[in-house]
Amino acid sequence: ASENACRIALGQANQVQPKLPLLKILQAAGAHGETFTLKEVMHYLGQYIMVRQLYDKRQQHMVYCGGDQLGELLGLESFSVKDPSPVYDMLKRNLTSVTI
Ligand SMILES: C[C@@H](c1ccc(Cl)cc1)n1cnc(-c2ccccc2)c1-c1c(C(=O)NCCN2CCN(C3CCCCC3)CC2)[nH]c2cc(Cl)ccc12
């Protein structure tokens, strides 16, 4: 309805609220605040992987996250960025949608 159009106009649409363990990872990558769009969550997770050098320098699609909080959240030692499904499953567990 019109409220939703207003939210979209104000850029507030589709905000998600990460649970604390995920929020801490996003903040380590430079995120501020407590609600984000999914695009922002993905951007900060990518930054986190870069900053923590979790990707393989030679096989750059491979992420080795065992021993890192990211690996704890994903329940994985490693994954390929070519198969995003484990990341989406983790986000389903760690994001709550925000209705304003
Ligand atoms: C398509 C996209 C993606 C996005 C989501 C998913 Cl679930 C899979 C895949 N993607 C493709 N490669 C990456 C990537 C690869 C290595 C290191 C960091 C990021 C990403 C990821 C981004 C991102 O925001 N990507 C922007 C452009 N990337 C190109 C790759 N660039 C680096 C590649 C390694 C060498 C340095 C540049 C960084 C910018 N966010 C992510 C978050 C996670 Cl949990 C996992 C991967 C990514």
Side-chain angles (χ1 to χ4, degrees):
S2 63
E3 307 90 67
N4 206 27
C6 170
R7 261 209 300 272
I8 290 166
L10 294 173
Q12 284 175 335
N14 309 325
Q15 294 284 330
V16 290
Q17 179 154 14
K19 292 180 182 166
L20 194 57
L22 176 57
L23 181 61
K24 288 196 173 315
I25 287 177
L26 302 180
Q27 288 172 339
H32 300 288
E34 300 200 342
T35 63
F36 305 91
T37 61
L38 189 59
K39 188 169 180 287
E40 288 168 324
V41 171
M42 283 306 190
H43 166 75
Y44 286 117
L45 282 173
Q47 290 298 330
Y48 180 84
I49 291 167
M50 303 264 293
V51 164
R52 306 275 289 217
Q53 311 236 332
L54 300 180
Y55 65 94
D56 185 293
K57 304 300 173 286
R58 274 176 295 286
Q59 290 203 314
Q60 296 182 341
H61 67 93
M62 284 306 298
V63 176
Y64 291 92
C65 47
D68 187 279
Q69 296 127 293
L70 181 58
E72 300 290 314
L73 274 189
L74 288 166
L76 289 174
E77 296 290 312
S78 65
F79 69 96
S80 166
V81 304
K82 295 185 172 131
D83 173 14
S85 48
V87 176
Y88 282 107
D89 293 344
M90 180 274 287
L91 293 178
K92 272 187 219 134
R93 295 192 302 269
N94 288 280
L95 292 177
T96 54
S97 64
V98 174
T99 48
I100 299 159

